[in-house]
Amino acid sequence: YLKDLGVQTVMCGNLATLRLTKEVGLRPMGGFGLNLFNSSALEAAYNMGLKEVIISPELSGKEIKRLYAPYGQKLFAVCYGRQPLMLTRNCPVKNGIGCRGKKEYCHLTDRKGNTFPVVCENGFCEILNTKTTDLLDCLESLSVDCGCLCFTIESPEDTKEILIAYRSRKGRNAKDFTRGLFRSGVL
């Protein structure tokens, strides 16, 4: 059915999705849910048929440079977007203000006043990081084949501004963002 709609590639965030994608004859791409953190993981992903993968957003710039992608495998990195922190079927907002179980944006506030967006869709709720990862000023030192921009709760105007900034590689007036672990890594 998806082929009839013109779909060619499926982003696979887990091994079950990878298996299904291959069974229906579509091209799989490894999503960041696979947590591809080192060269051994990249090789295993390649051997499972993943010729294009999004590497773990937990890697630092130095760790990314040390990666070896086998046989021309294409590496992608998330350059912009709110990192998902948790995926749940039980909406954490439901008991407070009431979740309607459809695509909408709510938020949770922690004891320090940080606001975490909650996006509900198709019976699942995704809790997103309070800050947006933005690597616009790090693009020159990012050694991957392609960068990914992941939009979740941005307005059409904000989306347009971000796309223009990344296309021109010129800074914008981003106030509250993080570079994630790009400079420090987890090791």
Side-chain angles (χ1 to χ4, degrees), residues 10-146:
V10 174
M11 177 85 60
C12 301
N14 59 53
L15 296 178
T17 307
L18 173 60
R19 183 180 56 89
L20 284 170
T21 300
K22 289 164 71 174
E23 281 178 12
V24 298
L26 295 171
R27 187 177 76 207
M29 177 181 181
F32 64 84
L34 293 174
N35 199 27
L36 300 171
F37 198 80
N38 57 42
S39 298
S40 296
L42 292 175
E43 186 169 355
Y46 184 87
N47 290 335
M48 287 186 273
L50 295 169
K51 310 253 186 307
E52 301 170 325
V53 296
I54 298 177
I55 57 175
S56 173
E58 296 177 340
L59 291 169
S60 71
K62 289 178 185 175
E63 292 164 334
I64 293 169
K65 283 182 182 176
R66 290 194 299 256
L67 290 176
Y68 168 75
Y71 314 108
Q73 183 181 49
K74 301 290 184 212
L75 301 184
F76 294 66
V78 176
C79 294
Y80 175 88
R82 289 186 185 263
Q83 294 296 319
L85 302 177
M86 182 184 295
L87 180 66
T88 178
R89 278 195 179 270
N90 185 15
C91 178
V93 179
K94 188 182 220 174
N95 294 331
I97 62 172
C99 177
R100 293 178 243 333
K102 58 183 176 151
K103 186 168 183 165
E104 63 179 71
Y105 156 66
C106 303
H107 67 274
L108 296 173
T109 305
D110 71 8
R111 69 185 187 290
K112 295 181 180 180
N114 297 312
T115 301
F116 296 83
V118 178
V119 178
C120 299
E121 185 174 22
N122 300 323
F124 291 94
C125 296
E126 193 167 40
I127 302 170
L128 305 174
N129 196 352
T130 187
K131 291 186 179 183
T132 304
T133 298
D134 193 343
L135 299 179
L136 179 61
D137 63 343
C138 303
L139 292 178
E140 296 303 318
S141 61
L142 189 62
S143 47
V144 293
D145 297 295
C146 190

Side-chain angles (χ1 to χ4, degrees), residues 116-187:
F116 296 83
V118 178
V119 178
C120 299
E121 185 174 22
N122 300 323
F124 291 94
C125 296
E126 193 167 40
I127 302 170
L128 305 174
N129 196 352
T130 187
K131 291 186 179 183
T132 304
T133 298
D134 193 343
L135 299 179
L136 179 61
D137 63 343
C138 303
L139 292 178
E140 296 303 318
S141 61
L142 189 62
S143 47
V144 293
D145 297 295
C146 190
C148 299
L149 308 179
C150 301
F151 298 101
T152 50
I153 63 169
E154 291 80 359
S155 69
E157 296 79 20
D158 288 342
T159 301
K160 181 178 178 182
E161 176 190 335
I162 293 158
L163 288 170
I164 290 169
Y166 271 85
R167 177 173 272 165
S168 67
R169 295 188 181 223
K170 293 186 178 158
R172 54 189 191 88
N173 295 327
K175 294 176 184 78
D176 197 22
F177 71 95
T178 180
R179 289 182 188 87
L181 298 167
F182 186 75
R183 295 220 168 106
S184 61
V186 293
L187 302 176

